Amino acid sequence: MQREKFLVVNSHFQLQYEEKQSCYVLLYPEGMVQLSFSAGEIMSLCDGKNSCDSIITALVEKFSNQAIESDVIEFLDEAMSRNWIIYHEAR
Amino acid sequence: MKPDNKTISPPLWILLELTHKCPLECTYCYNQLDFANTKDSMTKDDWFRVMEEARAMGAVQLGISGGEPLLNKDLLEIVKKANELKFYTNLITSGVGADISIVPKLKEAGLKTVQLGIQSSDEHTTTLITNNQNAFKDKMAFAKACKENGLQLIINTCITRQNIHQIGDIIEMAERLGANYLEIANIQYYGWALENINALLPTREQLAEAKAITNHYRENRKDMKVFFVVPDYFATRPKACMNGWGSTFLTINPSGVALPCNTANTLPLNFPNVKEYSVEAIWNDSEAFNYFRGDSWMKEPCRTCNEKEKDFGGCRCQAYALTKDMHEADPVCDKSGFHHVVTSKVEESITSDKQPLYRNKINSMNIIANRLARSCK
Ligand SMILES: C[S@@+](CC[C@H](N)C(=O)[O-])C[C@H]1O[C@@H](n2cnc3c(N)ncnc32)[C@H](O)[C@@H]1O
Ligand code: SF4
Ligand code: SF4
């Protein structure tokens, strides 16, 4: 994980909050994953304007919890290996 | 009979069949033999309303199919509306039927994924299967345009005796075209495919070889995901059709008839029309959608079988087509008293030299006329 690079959801996927399911879901061809609360919080910050570092800062502040850093990195690594998110290359 | 409404979960997948017209005439097509009788009577606003109602129930995946959806002049607006409603939109197309300039417009309208049907790695075989000489060229151009415009490309290849020897070439071609996924589907024998089964069904040996070639690719390269859908005719257990009747999928045909799967209107049930009922009423309350929910409809051997939670007794359309009783176990199952129907079809096809019938309007009208003549006798 390159911690300072901006992250964005892969455009072939679609991330959205679903009222009916009370969670974020990630849609892909013929399928869907329901994201856990923390996964949803992290993914929704992958908007092309945040990096791994800034996501950690934002979430530490939001939940006043210092201990989340390694969880965030672990999740982002996993999300990237599944192609859910990619680095947002400057245009 | 009707299961408690609370046990009914909302549909996740909606398939809109915009028209049953098609410029191609694939011999393996699962569309109904009598498609010439299906009228395109859904207006754009009817489609909009169906999408809104389904979305409100929690549906997230939208498939746009047919026939050939590119023939519907409202396609772009339908895609745009679907995207506004936050569906994940999939276009299931032959790539033939509209000017290629539609591709960037589809992308702009918010389309996510194109599932492009490709029959072969060469022009000759494509024409043989589709009875259309331009099909191959048009498909290649369509695939290229999809990639140039940043659309996710899934290539769907239906495997029959006509193309099974080309699996390796087809995989390589799909990779060259930049496909994100390739789905190699051993076809389901419904509609035109069942009519033509003797000309289409490959042998067990051919299948084993196709599977081996696919596995070889998967082991050596991983750039493109390859799915291999196994044919149920060579199995001893049925597939869990549609993940259970009325559990996940909802299809709306070009006349507005709502179906639990694409071919369910081959069954002797009365399916409701979205022009008369809301999607919610159809899904939750209609007799047809409740008919095969749960397991109280089952006969032996399914009724007391310990695998019934796994496959729900298999496909109702297949049971009806092969046994004339839609409550039977899917005869693909070797516990079924009708399993021999499947095995004898496999045997029969090996030695048959029957020519396949193309899926077109004239053949469809002839089939309808013959049925009428028979029922008048
Ligand atoms: C009926 S077609 C309609 C859309 C479009 N005309 C096309 O061919 O892509 C929908 C999808 O079903 C696949 N298909 C057609 N007949 C089939 C069969 N007998 N078994 C399995 N898949 C089939 C096609 O390859 C296509 O991906
Ligand atoms: S499978 Fe072939 S014949 Fe059937 S709708 Fe698609 S393109 Fe047309
Ligand atoms: S008997 Fe019925 S429920 Fe049991 S495996 Fe066969 S089809 Fe499935």
Side-chain angles (χ1 to χ4, degrees):
Chain A
M1 174 69 40
Q2 302 187 39
R3 296 185 49 158
E4 70 298 339
K5 274 199 171 176
F6 288 162
L7 295 166
V8 67
V9 176
N10 180 343
S11 69
H12 294 159
F13 290 80
Q14 190 169 304
L15 175 77
Q16 64 204 38
Y17 189 79
E18 283 293 302
E19 295 291 346
K20 285 265 166 194
Q21 307 174 44
S22 314
C23 66
Y24 276 96
V25 301
L26 188 68
L27 301 166
Y28 52 90
E30 305 193 8
M32 167 178 79
V33 266
Q34 295 184 335
L35 298 176
S36 67
F37 176 76
S38 51
E41 288 292 321
I42 302 170
M43 283 290 282
S44 62
L45 287 171
C46 296
D47 55 3
K49 293 175 219 138
N50 278 301
S51 63
C52 177
D53 280 339
S54 70
I55 290 173
I56 291 169
T57 313
L59 293 179
V60 164
E61 190 166 324
K62 182 163 177 181
F63 299 106
S64 351
N65 181 348
Q66 296 291 329
I68 59 171
E69 177 164 341
S70 63
D71 288 348
V72 174
I73 294 171
E74 194 184 330
F75 175 81
L76 288 173
D77 275 333
E78 177 71 24
M80 197 162 262
S81 75
R82 293 184 190 212
N83 247 328
W84 291 355
I85 52 170
I86 53 174
Y87 293 119
H88 187 61
E89 305 299 340
R91 293 181 190 228
Chain B
M1 176 79 222
K2 205 161 96 183
D4 183 355
N5 259 6
K6 283 187 212 86
T7 67
I8 301 177
S9 48
L12 289 177
W13 237 113
I14 310 297
L15 190 80
L16 311 182
E17 291 191 345
L18 297 187
T19 178
H20 277 173
K21 297 196 184 76
C22 187
L24 305 192
E25 306 179 5
C26 308
T27 50
Y28 60 73
C29 186
Y30 64 57
N31 282 160
Q32 288 84 342
L33 291 168
D34 58 3
F35 78 87
N37 272 347
T38 313
K39 298 273 169 309
D40 291 358
S41 54
M42 289 284 284
T43 64
K44 182 177 73 185
D45 289 329
D46 288 331
W47 289 122
F48 282 10
R49 186 174 46 81
V50 166
M51 290 194 283
E52 279 163 7
E53 291 174 359
R55 188 69 186 95
M57 289 178 75
V60 285
Q61 291 278 351
L62 188 83
I64 303 175
S65 183
E68 181 42 63
L70 292 176
L71 296 180
N72 186 306
K73 61 174 181 19
D74 300 321
L75 176 62
L76 285 171
E77 282 181 77
I78 291 171
V79 170
K80 188 155 174 271
K81 177 76 174 181
N83 193 49
E84 282 164 11
L85 290 170
K86 290 191 163 184
F87 272 111
Y88 187 94
T89 42
N90 305 263
L91 180 69
I92 305 162
T93 179
S94 70
V96 184
D99 191 83
I100 193 80
S101 62
I102 198 168
V103 177
K105 293 178 197 151
L106 284 166
K107 171 73 184 178
E108 199 182 322
L111 185 69
K112 280 286 175 188
T113 292
V114 171
Q115 298 191 27
L116 178 64
I118 284 190
Q119 288 74 19
S120 166
S121 47
D122 74 57
E123 187 159 0
H124 174 77
T125 312
T126 305
T127 304
L128 182 78
I129 296 173
T130 64
N131 202 21
N132 181 310
Q133 302 201 331
N134 298 321
F136 186 77
K137 269 197 283 1
D138 287 0
K139 285 167 186 292
M140 292 302 113
F142 201 89
K144 200 161 153 250
C146 287
K147 291 307 290 185
E148 282 167 5
N149 287 284
L151 281 162
Q152 174 160 248
L153 180 64
I154 301 181
I155 293 185
N156 282 348
T157 297
C158 286
I159 292 301
T160 64
R161 204 182 294 167
Q162 283 69 30
N163 61 7
I164 192 162
H165 57 287
Q166 298 184 330
I167 290 285
D169 293 339
I170 292 171
I171 293 175
E172 276 177 22
M173 185 178 78
E175 202 172 38
R176 274 200 308 279
L177 291 171
N180 301 82
Y181 304 86
L182 169 65
E183 180 169 316
I184 301 173
N186 282 285
I187 61 168
Q188 311 289 338
Y189 289 92
Y190 307 119
W192 294 83
L194 182 58
E195 179 72 20
N196 289 325
I197 185 166
N198 279 343
L200 304 181
L201 196 70
T203 63
R204 202 179 276 277
E205 293 71 34
Q206 286 176 314
L207 270 171
E209 192 180 330
K211 181 102 223 233
I213 293 171
T214 307
N215 284 340
H216 180 77
Y217 171 86
R218 285 203 193 118
E219 277 157 28
N220 289 287
R221 276 176 301 175
K222 299 198 170 62
D223 350 357
M224 176 178 72
K225 262 211 185 110
V226 184
F227 298 99
F228 192 88
V229 181
V230 287
D232 57 1
Y233 264 56
F234 293 98
T236 50
R237 288 290 178 272
K239 59 187 177 295
C241 191
M242 309 320 281
N243 194 32
W245 179 271
S247 76
T248 318
F249 293 88
L250 172 66
T251 296
I252 316 290
N253 91 354
S255 315
V257 177
L259 302 165
C261 86
N262 309 343
T263 56
N265 54 349
T266 54
L267 300 173
L269 286 171
N270 245 329
F271 290 98
N273 194 300
V274 293
K275 282 184 265 173
E276 285 170 61
Y277 302 94
S278 71
V279 173
E280 185 161 9
I282 287 172
W283 186 261
N284 291 329
D285 305 327
S286 72
E287 196 182 339
F289 276 78
N290 281 309
Y291 199 89
F292 292 116
R293 283 192 175 124
D295 56 15
S296 55
W297 58 271
M298 285 182 180
K299 302 175 37 169
E300 291 299 342
C302 298
R303 181 181 283 272
T304 52
C305 177
N306 61 7
E307 290 173 67
K308 66 183 175 189
E309 310 276 293
K310 217 159 72 190
D311 61 34
F312 320 108
C315 169
R316 296 301 88 220
C317 298
Q318 190 144 279
Y320 184 65
L322 300 183
T323 76
K324 302 279 177 285
D325 178 353
M326 61 179 178
H327 307 89
E328 278 293 333
D330 184 334
V332 156
C333 181
D334 66 4
K335 296 186 188 179
S336 155
F338 290 92
H339 185 60
H340 63 274
V341 180
V342 172
T343 47
S344 63
K345 277 199 175 294
V346 173
E347 289 300 315
E348 191 187 321
S349 74
I350 295 175
T351 51
S352 169
D353 55 4
K354 189 171 175 266
Q355 290 301 306
L357 203 60
Y358 285 116
R359 173 218 188 273
N360 59 35
K361 198 166 169 194
I362 292 174
N363 286 338
S364 178
M365 292 195 314
N366 281 337
I367 287 171
I368 295 166
N370 286 339
R371 276 187 196 162
L372 280 174
R374 246 182 286 136
S375 65
C376 289
K377 260 188 216 148

